[in-house]
């Protein structure tokens, strides 16, 4: 509350104060935890640098992102940071380019109008967990995949896992499930997994569950435990290493591994790259990847 | 006998005087009529008596003793009871509860409603009205209009310990009643008189007032014009006092002959309407009468396409219109009985209301609409600030003239008139009758329903009688009396005479 | 007198808001570039709000406009993917809007379901259809023809007026055209007169020979068409079609009409005042962004301003009676 008050009063009363660098962050996704972590990371580092940062959320409205970018251009900010697919906001990018204002992607996507895009390598994350699964089951057995093709960043994970499992002749993908995510993804994944378990009652008939993100992995874990089949050595992996997944991995059950994007580090890196850019040293590459951390029982509690 | 003296009553709204220095003395056991055109100050006077608006100036004495009258509670404590024209009962609640509505319900143990005592109080109140037969447990919404009125009067009669009612104010009590139902009400008024209460009776209906009232006070433009015993005055004198004009008779006589050309012909059944058989000639005025809800409105609205006639029916040589749009397009004009809910867009301009059925071309012309509105407004002698004034701001009579202006604008061949003068003051009534006569003279056929029997007899050439939807007679009005007509409303074959 | 006050209170508030921003943002707010920007940013909302006015004139409203906008964008994009010519895909999308509106009209006017219930239902249906047709994905990139998204970036250059590198955005021109057509329809045609009559008293309008069912059906169809048009403008502007991207338009459109209603003589919707309402919402958004007000606070402020305008209008109207 106090924060809200001070920021309103600050904004309304001191609006014309000129800071060292004026940066606008625009995103429609601020309500999502990943986006919040990214932006908080950026804001933290920006504060250290003494920048004035204005974070604008358009509550899911993509066209409003363009509008707010145009407003920021009008206001003549020093740089704009976006967290959205740049292909959807081309007019905003063009407006900034016309005004000579650099735009940098924070976990965004590639675009010639962006200075660069700082992110993690989604293909690499999927490859790491898929390879872990293949190795753990000795390159042989039945696998259930949980994927979500409608969302591009998740869709690419499924493609990579497909390729890796396809490269093992003895691995057989018995089901490729797209759960209903409206309830958060856990409940429906659990229901789908329970149906698959019922259809494959023999112990050992399912060797592993590979999930393109953590929620289906958690749902599958619940289904396996509820069916009393946790002793069969079914290997489960997820991606993102959210707190609930970390707990499950630390508990030492079937959920064995996930992979963490270090959102804060992406935010830090973006701020650092932006500082270099403003100093005249643009990175000159379309993407900058921040390393990920593979999470297993050994480091899940960290 | 109680003497109630209200003196020097004055009230202004925003500098405009609505009532100026009016005095009124009411005597127990006498019915005192309060008359005046709309806007004459009747409503304001009643509001002052009821304490719902504060008077600028007013002195009240009961039997020579001054009392304060500033709030509704003061009025109630003084023994004043009010019965308004709208039948605003609660339909989903029993008769007994409606009667006790607005009173403290009798209680047991301090909190539980004492239903037995409640029914007793309600039945006592009904007994005073000679209506002990009414079912206390019936839903009020299921009752006929006259019984609803009885409930409202009974509600005013509920005995409250230490609070004897000394004045009943009846504001247009017969507006929603048919002729026969009104007769019952008059019997009730006689009983109230006999109990020694004073009655202030507000009505637009001249004949009623002449029949049942003892004295009459006339207001005009917020001022007192005269107070006389009814026995010493005449209809014409009262009307002249109200309007300030000489009015020879209440209804203008027919001045032109009816043609032979048949405009409409109906024979057969239509829903609950049975045994219909009539034709209508150009220029003729046909009345439709009966007890309340005997099918008068349904019959008129056959010509708007509401209901189908099984048998033969034609209008202007073709089948009846299938909907109101077609009806208006074929020269049928309609004036609905519920002016406010069915007739007007109250929060819209007079212009919008009048030209509405006559919008023909794709693009609308404000200039042409304004011109037409002014012309029609003049034709019906409507008093307005201008065509853009909200129709809802007009007085009742002028609102009705706006509805007439709409109907007249298309030069109709058939005019459907439902209760054309309900809630309209005497002066405006006369003007409306004149308009109907003029239309008729131009060859427009008119079908008219009215619960005001003198109006039917005074205006119509023939009257069609309905008994619960069935056409039982069609009579020339010449030499017909109200009493003859009312007799026709009842099914004499099944009732032993 | 009090009517005057009621009518002008909102406009006065609007003027004060503009003055406040002009003083706080002397270099950037009242500039041709910013104002042209605002007109472009608001173009989609203008179209939805203008056509929403048509049903609100009859005391009805349409909650499904947002999801219809999304659906129209998706239909066009899917047809682009299927290699339909641009004009054919756009016509098909507009036809979907018209049919969706007619469907709303049938539910409300013919069957007689309350507009709130009927259009809440179709909101879900249209949104579900958009998700189903698109399989939940955003259609973008090469699938969207460059001529289509290029239109949204085009406009009439203003170099002749000495305004370098400025243009009247094409989307703004479309929005102004829609408002002009709606204005003519509502204020200068018999159809418009009938709409207001239906809003004034439906039963009386019916008895006065207005074909109420037909009038309502057409009005809902036009609102659906407007929503689809706005959806296409949206898709062109973001060069992509997402099955939920129009969702935000509905509440803003209704809010704009309500703001407009606080400024009219009898509190009835008028499309030019709806335009003022849209401008108020957009200018507040633009100014507060430039003032770097937290976006959540911005939402609270916008909501409070709408409520304040309606409360002032309501209270002064009651006083006036």
């Amino acid at each position: 509350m106090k924060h809200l008050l001070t920021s309103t009063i600050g904004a309304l009363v001191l609006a014309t104060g000129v800071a060292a660098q004026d940066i606008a962050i625009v995103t429609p996704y601020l309500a999502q935890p990943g986006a919040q972590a990214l932006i908080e990371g950026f804001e933290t580092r920006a504060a250290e640098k003494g920048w004035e940062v204005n974070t604008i959320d358009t509550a899911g409205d993509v066209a409003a992102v363009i509008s707010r970018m145009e407003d920021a251009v009008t206001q003549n900010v020093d740089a704009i940071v976006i967290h959205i697919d740049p292909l959807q906001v081309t007019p905003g990018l063009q407006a900034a380019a016309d005004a000579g204002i650099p735009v940098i992607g924070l976990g965004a996507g590639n675009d010639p109008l962006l200075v660069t895009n700082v992110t993690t390598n989604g293909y690499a994350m999927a490859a790491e967990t898929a390879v872990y699964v293949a190795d753990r089951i000795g390159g042989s057995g039945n696998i259930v995949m949980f994927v979500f093709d409608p969302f591009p960043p998740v869709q690419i994970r499924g493609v990579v896992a497909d390729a890796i499992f396809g490269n093992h002749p003895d691995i057989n993908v018995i089901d490729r499930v797209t759960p209903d995510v409206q309830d958060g993804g856990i409940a429906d994944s659990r229901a789908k997994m329970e149906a698959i378990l019922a259809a494959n009652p023999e112990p050992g008939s399912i060797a592993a569950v590979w999930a393109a993100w953590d929620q289906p992995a958690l749902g599958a874990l619940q289904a396996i435990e509820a069916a009393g089949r946790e002793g069969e050595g079914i290997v489960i992996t997820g991606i993102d290493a959210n707190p609930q997944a970390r707990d499950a991995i630390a508990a030492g059950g079937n959920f064995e591994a996930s992979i963490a994007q270090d959102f804060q580090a992406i935010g830090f890196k973006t701020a650092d790259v932006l500082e270099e850019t403003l100093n005249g040293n643009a990175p000159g590459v379309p993407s900058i990847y921040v390393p990920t951390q593979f999470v297993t029982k050994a480091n899940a509690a960290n | 006998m109680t003497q109630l003296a209200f003196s020097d009553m004055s009230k202004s709204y925003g500098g405009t005087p609505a009532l100026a220095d009016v005095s009124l003395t009411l005597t127990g056991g006498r019915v005192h009529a309060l008359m005046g055109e709309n806007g004459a100050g009747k409503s304001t006077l009643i509001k002052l008596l009821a304490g719902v608006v504060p008077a600028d100036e007013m002195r009240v004495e009961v039997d020579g003793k001054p009392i304060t009258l500033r709030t509704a509670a003061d009025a109630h404590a003084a023994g004043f009871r009010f019965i308004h024209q709208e039948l605003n009962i609660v339909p989903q609640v029993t008769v007994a509860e409606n009667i006790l509505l607005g009173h403290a319900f009798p209680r047991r143990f301090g909190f539980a409603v004492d239903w037995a005592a409640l029914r007793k109080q309600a039945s006592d109140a009904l007994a005073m009205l000679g209506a002990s037969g009414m079912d206390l447990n019936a839903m009020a919404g299921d009752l006929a209009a006259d019984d609803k009125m009885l409930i409202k009067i009974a509600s005013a009669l509920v005995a409250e310990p230490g609070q004897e009612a000394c004045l009943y104010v009846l504001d247009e009590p017969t507006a929603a009643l048919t002729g026969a139902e009104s007769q019952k009400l008059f019997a009730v008024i006689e009983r109230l008189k006999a109990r020694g209460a004073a009655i202030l009776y507000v009505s637009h209906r001249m004949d009623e007032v002449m029949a049942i009232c003892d004295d009459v006070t006339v207001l005009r433009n917020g001022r007192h014009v005269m107070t006389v015993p009814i026995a010493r005055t005449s209809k014409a004198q009262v009307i002249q006092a109200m309007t300030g004009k000489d009015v020879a008779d209440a209804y203008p006589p027919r001045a032109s002959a009816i043609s032979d050309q048949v405009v409409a012909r109906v024979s057969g059944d239509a829903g609950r309407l049975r045994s219909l058989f009539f034709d209508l000639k150009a220029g003729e005025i046909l009345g439709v009468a009966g007890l309340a809800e005997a099918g008068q409105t349904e019959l008129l609205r056959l010509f708007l396409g509401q209901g189908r006639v099984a048998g033969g029916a034609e209008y202007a040589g073709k089948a009846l219109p299938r909907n109101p749009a077609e009806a208006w397009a074929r020269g049928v004009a309609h004036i609905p009985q519920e002016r406010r809910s069915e007739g007007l867009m109250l929060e819209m301009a007079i212009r919008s209301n009048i030209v509405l059925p006559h919008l023909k071309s794709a693009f609308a012309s404000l200039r042409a609409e304004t011109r037409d509105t002014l012309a029609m407004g003049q034709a019906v002698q409507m008093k307005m600030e201008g065509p853009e004034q909200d129709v809802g701001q007009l007085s009742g009579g002028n609102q009705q003239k706006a509805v007439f202006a709409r109907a007249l604008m298309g030069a109709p061949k058939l005019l459907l008139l439902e209760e054309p003068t309900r809630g309209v003051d005497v002066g405006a009534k006369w003007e409306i009758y004149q308009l109907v006569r003029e239309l008729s003279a131009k060859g427009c056929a008119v079908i008219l329903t009215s619960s005001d029997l003198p109006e039917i007899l005074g205006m119509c050439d023939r009257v069609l009688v309905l008994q619960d939807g069935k056409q039982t007679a069609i009579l020339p009005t010449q030499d017909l009396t109200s009493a003859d007509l009312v007799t026709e409303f009842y099914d004499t074959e099944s009732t032993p005479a | 007198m009090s009517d005057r006050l009621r009518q002008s209170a909102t406009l006065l508030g609007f003027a004060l808001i503009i003055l406040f921003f002009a003083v706080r943002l002397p270099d950037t707010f009242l500039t041709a570039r910013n104002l042209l920007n605002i007109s472009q940013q608001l173009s989609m909302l203008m179209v939805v709000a203008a056509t929403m006015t048509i049903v609100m004139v009859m005391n009805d409203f349409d909650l499904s406009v947002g999801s219809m906008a999304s659906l129209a964008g998706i239909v066009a994009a899917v047809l682009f993917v299927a290699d339909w010519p641009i004009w054919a895909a756009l016509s098909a999308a507009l036809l979907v809007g018209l049919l969706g509106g007619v469907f709303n009209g049938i539910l409300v006017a013919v069957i007689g379901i309350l507009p709130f219930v009927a259009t809440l239902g179709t909101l879900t249906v249209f949104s579900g259809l958009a998700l189903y047709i698109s399989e939940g994905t955003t259609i973008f990139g090469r699938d969207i023809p460059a001529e289509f998204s290029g239109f949204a970036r085009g406009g009439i250059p203003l170099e002749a007026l000495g305004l370098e590198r400025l243009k009247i955005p094409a989307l703004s021109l479309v929005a102004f055209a829609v408002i002009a057509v709606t204005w003519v329809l509502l204020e200068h045609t018999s159809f418009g007169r009938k709409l207001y009559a239906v809003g004034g008293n439906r039963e009386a309008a019916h008895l006065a020979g207005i074909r109420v069912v037909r009038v309502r059906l057409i009005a809902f169809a036009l609102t659906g068409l407007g929503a689809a048009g706005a959806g296409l403008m949206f898709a062109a502007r973001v060069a992509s079609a997402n099955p939920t991207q129009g969702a935000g338009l509905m509440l803003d459109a209704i809010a704009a009409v309500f703001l407009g209603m606080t400024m009219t003589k009898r509190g009835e919707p008028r499309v030019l005042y709806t335009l003022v309402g849209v401008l108020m919402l957009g200018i507040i958004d633009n100014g507060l962004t430039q003032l770097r007000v937290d976006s959540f606070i911005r939402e609270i402020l916008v909501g409070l301003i709408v409520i304040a305008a309606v409360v002032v209008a309501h209270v002064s109207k009651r006083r006036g009676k």
Side-chain angles (χ1 to χ4, degrees):
Chain A
M1 188 61 211
K2 196 175 165 196
H3 167 73
L4 295 184
L5 274 179
T6 43
S7 62
T8 323
I9 293 165
L12 290 174
V13 179
L14 305 170
T16 48
V18 177
Q21 301 287 1
D22 264 346
I23 315 291
I25 307 179
V26 194
T27 179
Y29 307 127
L30 193 59
Q32 293 174 10
Q36 281 167 11
L38 282 171
I39 287 166
E40 273 167 27
F42 181 89
E43 285 173 339
T44 308
R45 185 58 62 93
E48 289 167 12
K49 299 179 195 293
W51 295 350
E52 190 75 26
V53 177
N54 180 24
T55 303
I56 301 159
D57 174 49
T58 64
D61 187 339
V62 177
V65 171
I66 301 177
S67 302
R68 300 290 82 85
M69 289 173 74
E70 288 167 349
D71 292 348
V73 170
T74 304
Q75 195 192 329
N76 204 18
V77 295
D78 295 297
I80 297 172
V81 177
I82 58 168
H83 174 58
I84 184 179
D85 193 314
L87 287 173
Q88 289 184 274
V89 295
T90 309
L93 295 174
Q94 196 63 54
D98 291 346
I101 294 172
V103 183
I104 196 161
L106 173 63
N110 291 334
D111 193 285
L113 290 169
L114 283 182
V115 172
T116 190
N117 176 38
V118 182
T119 185
T120 45
N121 189 331
Y123 291 101
M125 291 198 294
E128 280 197 63
T129 54
V131 167
Y132 175 85
V133 166
D135 289 352
R136 274 283 284 114
I137 63 173
S140 152
N142 291 336
I143 292 183
V144 177
M145 292 175 71
F146 282 90
V147 294
F148 198 80
D149 291 347
F151 188 48
V154 177
Q155 180 258 342
I156 62 170
R157 299 174 182 174
V159 172
V160 168
D162 285 340
I164 288 167
F165 296 141
N167 204 31
H168 290 80
D170 294 333
I171 286 180
N172 180 25
V173 176
I174 57 168
D175 217 333
R176 201 169 183 279
V177 182
T178 302
D180 183 348
V181 295
Q182 286 202 347
D183 56 9
I186 295 182
D188 190 60
S189 302
R190 174 177 169 164
K192 294 270 168 38
M193 190 66 202
E194 280 166 349
I196 293 166
L197 287 167
N200 299 278
E202 291 299 311
S205 56
I206 298 171
V209 176
W210 180 89
W213 73 108
D214 285 333
Q215 273 80 356
L218 289 162
L221 177 66
Q222 289 175 4
I224 288 167
E225 288 176 348
R229 294 175 66 172
E230 61 268 39
E232 291 177 22
I234 303 174
V235 177
I236 305 173
T237 64
I239 291 178
D240 292 338
N242 71 30
Q244 199 181 351
R246 281 175 187 268
D247 284 352
I249 294 167
N254 298 68
F255 196 164
E256 293 188 3
S258 186
I259 189 162
Q261 305 186 60
D262 192 340
F263 292 118
Q264 198 180 36
I266 299 172
F268 287 170
K269 183 74 183 172
T270 306
D272 293 341
V273 171
L274 182 55
E275 185 172 38
E276 287 297 302
T277 306
L278 292 171
N279 290 338
N281 307 315
V285 290
S287 299
I288 295 171
Y289 293 118
V290 172
T292 52
Q293 186 194 29
F294 199 72
V295 175
T296 60
K297 192 181 174 187
N299 62 353
N302 299 346
Chain B
M1 281 294 160
T2 318
Q3 284 278 345
L4 302 167
F6 302 88
S7 14
D8 303 336
M9 289 184 279
S10 292
K11 176 70 190 175
S12 300
Y13 292 104
T16 316
L19 204 61
D21 280 337
V22 174
S23 297
L24 185 66
T25 304
L26 304 174
T27 311
R30 287 180 79 84
V31 182
H32 196 120
L34 179 63
M35 304 210 60
E37 302 192 277
N38 283 349
K42 303 188 302 286
S43 321
T44 307
L45 191 149
I46 293 172
K47 282 176 187 161
L48 295 191
L49 299 196
V52 295
V53 296
D56 295 341
E57 216 175 306
M58 168 165 73
R59 279 183 294 121
V60 187
E61 287 176 8
V62 178
D63 291 331
K65 251 180 19 212
I67 62 162
T68 10
L69 181 51
R70 281 205 204 88
T71 64
D74 289 344
H76 194 84
F80 301 172
R81 301 289 180 270
F82 297 84
I83 297 153
H84 297 288
Q85 65 188 84
E86 287 88 18
L87 293 173
N88 48 354
I89 54 151
V90 185
Q92 307 88 339
V93 164
T94 63
V95 167
E97 285 170 273
N98 263 293
I99 291 175
L100 268 286
L101 213 63
H103 300 269
F105 277 23
R107 312 240 153 208
R108 263 197 304 202
F109 318 125
F111 59 94
V113 173
D114 185 346
W115 292 105
L118 182 142
R119 275 193 288 275
K120 173 84 170 58
Q121 284 188 329
S123 79
D124 287 351
L126 283 174
M128 282 185 233
L129 299 177
S132 319
M134 201 184 290
D135 179 5
L136 290 172
N137 294 321
M139 287 298 139
D142 297 338
L143 300 177
D146 53 344
D147 286 343
K148 287 179 184 165
M149 180 53 79
L150 281 179
I151 291 183
K152 288 198 34 170
I153 300 170
S155 178
L157 288 178
V158 168
E160 285 174 65
Q163 284 193 351
E164 189 66 17
C166 62
L167 169 65
Y168 291 95
V169 177
L170 281 76
D171 186 2
E172 295 260 11
T174 56
L177 301 183
T178 59
E181 291 164 342
S182 300
Q183 297 299 331
K184 280 200 212 169
L185 177 76
F186 301 152
V188 169
I189 291 173
E190 284 303 319
R191 282 165 174 272
L192 294 177
K193 256 171 83 168
R195 289 169 53 85
I199 291 161
L200 184 63
Y201 190 89
V202 182
S203 175
H204 284 309
R205 295 186 178 171
M206 218 50 238
D207 298 294
E208 255 174 48
V209 167
M210 300 310 286
I212 68 161
C213 296
D214 302 301
D215 307 291
V216 57
T217 288
V218 176
L219 302 181
R220 188 167 75 232
N221 296 329
R223 290 177 188 281
H224 179 264
V225 180
M226 70 168 187
T227 299
V228 286
I230 288 282
R232 294 224 304 271
T233 185
S234 67
K235 243 202 272 190
Q237 200 184 351
V238 172
I239 292 173
Q240 206 246 327
M242 285 166 66
T243 58
K245 289 178 278 208
D246 277 315
V247 182
D249 198 355
Y251 304 98
R254 166 169 288 286
S256 54
I258 301 168
S259 87
D260 291 336
Q261 186 204 344
V262 174
V263 173
R265 200 192 305 271
V266 174
S267 67
D269 298 346
R272 65 182 280 245
L273 298 172
R274 284 157 296 126
S275 314
L276 298 181
F277 186 80
F278 64 91
D279 59 10
L280 188 62
K281 301 206 171 70
E284 187 183 16
I285 304 177
L286 174 68
V288 179
L291 297 174
E293 288 162 28
Q296 295 96 320
T297 310
E298 286 96 325
L299 193 150
L300 255 69
R301 293 191 182 185
L302 287 177
F303 292 93
L304 290 177
Q306 300 188 343
R308 296 280 175 275
V309 181
E314 58 173 57
Y315 161 72
K318 282 187 243 163
L320 296 189
R322 281 159 302 171
N323 51 53
E326 188 190 329
W328 283 92
R330 288 174 59 191
V332 179
H334 174 231
I335 292 182
Q337 59 180 346
E338 301 296 337
R339 186 168 59 228
R340 299 172 73 84
S341 65
E342 297 180 326
L344 294 170
M345 291 83 198
L346 291 171
E347 294 192 355
M348 291 178 69
I350 295 167
R351 166 182 59 81
S352 313
N353 274 280
I354 290 182
V355 303
L356 186 61
H358 313 292
L359 294 166
K360 298 239 160 55
S361 59
F363 287 92
S365 155
L366 181 62
R367 195 193 299 173
E369 289 173 7
T370 304
R371 190 189 59 218
D372 292 344
T373 304
L374 289 171
M376 293 315 301
Q378 202 159 28
V380 301
Q381 295 175 273
M382 181 176 17
K383 293 189 194 81
M384 58 176 167
E385 285 169 17
E388 299 306 313
Q389 190 186 4
D390 278 11
V391 84
Q393 293 171 352
L394 298 176
S395 69
N398 277 308
Q399 285 182 7
Q400 189 68 352
K401 286 180 182 174
V403 184
F404 261 86
R406 170 200 286 170
L408 267 46
M409 188 175 150
K413 291 203 272 294
L414 171 62
L415 176 64
L416 307 173
L417 277 178
E418 301 173 8
E419 301 287 350
T421 58
R422 175 183 287 181
V424 170
D425 55 58
V426 169
K429 264 187 189 177
W430 175 260
E431 285 160 5
I432 285 172
Y433 295 141
Q434 286 283 20
L435 287 172
V436 176
R437 282 284 183 233
E438 282 165 27
L439 265 182
S440 151
K442 286 183 199 148
C444 175
V446 178
I447 311 183
L448 183 156
T449 67
S450 178
S451 49
D452 186 6
L453 296 185
E455 180 170 291
I456 295 245
L457 297 173
M459 288 302 295
C460 300
D461 303 301
R462 288 186 298 161
V463 55
L464 188 159
V465 178
L466 290 172
Q467 283 180 15
D468 193 21
K470 185 178 180 197
Q471 177 179 338
T472 53
I474 188 159
L475 312 161
T477 52
Q478 192 136 36
D479 303 327
L480 195 66
T481 65
S482 286
D484 296 340
L485 188 50
V486 171
T487 317
E488 293 288 334
F489 293 173
Y490 292 94
D491 187 355
T492 43
E493 271 148 43
S494 61
T495 335
Chain C
M1 183 60 218
S2 137
D3 255 10
R4 271 300 144 64
L5 179 77
R6 178 180 65 79
Q7 275 175 260
S8 44
T10 309
L11 273 175
L12 194 69
F14 186 34
L16 286 177
I17 288 168
I18 292 179
L19 190 70
F20 174 78
F21 286 140
V23 170
R24 284 277 163 224
L25 302 161
D27 303 327
T28 58
F29 184 70
L30 284 181
T31 60
R33 169 181 293 279
N34 193 42
L35 296 179
L36 288 172
N37 257 344
I38 291 176
S39 80
Q40 172 165 270
Q41 294 165 5
L42 293 177
S43 56
M44 294 146 282
L45 182 57
M46 283 185 207
V47 171
V48 177
T51 52
M52 177 71 86
T53 310
I54 300 175
V55 283
M56 288 186 70
V57 159
M58 305 182 302
N59 282 331
D60 290 325
F61 53 95
D62 184 350
L63 299 179
S64 71
V65 288
S67 52
M68 174 50 77
S70 306
L71 177 61
I74 288 291
V75 166
V78 166
L79 296 175
F80 291 151
V81 173
D83 276 336
W84 283 40
I86 292 178
W87 66 266
L90 298 188
S91 308
L94 290 174
L95 185 67
V96 166
L98 196 67
L99 293 177
V102 167
F103 185 60
N104 277 330
I106 289 173
L107 293 179
V108 172
V110 180
I111 302 179
I113 304 174
L114 286 177
F116 180 84
V117 180
T119 60
L120 189 64
T122 52
L123 178 159
T124 317
V125 171
F126 297 157
S127 157
L129 270 175
L131 286 162
Y132 177 74
I133 295 173
S134 64
E135 294 168 355
T137 56
T138 301
I139 301 168
F140 63 101
R142 253 168 298 149
D143 291 331
I144 305 295
E147 295 91 331
F148 177 63
S149 49
F151 174 76
R153 264 173 267 155
I156 300 176
L158 292 176
E159 260 136 37
L161 299 176
L163 296 165
E164 280 299 307
R165 297 177 55 194
L166 282 182
K167 59 196 176 214
I168 301 178
L171 292 180
S172 308
L173 293 172
V174 172
F176 293 144
V178 170
I179 285 176
V181 169
T182 311
W183 177 74
V184 170
L185 182 80
L186 288 181
E187 307 289 339
H188 294 287
T189 67
S190 293
F191 180 73
R193 298 280 200 272
K194 291 172 186 175
L195 282 175
Y196 279 102
V198 171
N201 185 338
R202 194 181 300 154
E203 180 58 24
H206 170 68
L207 288 174
I210 304 307
R211 294 175 193 273
V212 174
V213 171
R214 186 190 295 180
V215 165
R216 289 177 97 193
L217 204 62
I218 295 173
F220 272 98
L222 292 176
T223 304
L225 183 64
L232 294 176
M233 292 163 71
F234 199 118
R237 175 146 161 95
V238 299
S240 61
N242 174 291
T244 59
Q245 66 192 7
L249 289 168
M250 179 263 288
L251 284 178
D252 282 348
I254 293 178
V257 179
F258 273 132
L259 276 176
M261 285 163 68
T262 64
M263 295 174 245
T264 58
K265 183 175 165 206
R266 299 180 174 90
E268 78 281 25
R270 297 268 169 202
V271 71
L272 291 184
Y273 289 103
T274 296
L275 174 61
V276 176
V278 170
L279 292 176
M280 277 183 78
L281 293 176
I283 281 174
I284 292 168
D285 234 5
N286 174 279
L288 292 181
T289 305
Q290 291 200 37
L291 286 176
R292 295 188 226 126
V293 174
D294 188 299
S295 38
F296 299 138
I297 297 286
R298 229 172 49 225
E299 290 199 19
I300 297 171
L301 284 178
V302 169
L304 289 178
I305 287 168
V306 172
I307 293 172
V310 175
V311 165
V312 168
H314 185 73
V315 169
S316 55
K317 189 172 185 185
R318 228 178 13 196
R319 289 257 169 79
K321 275 196 172 169

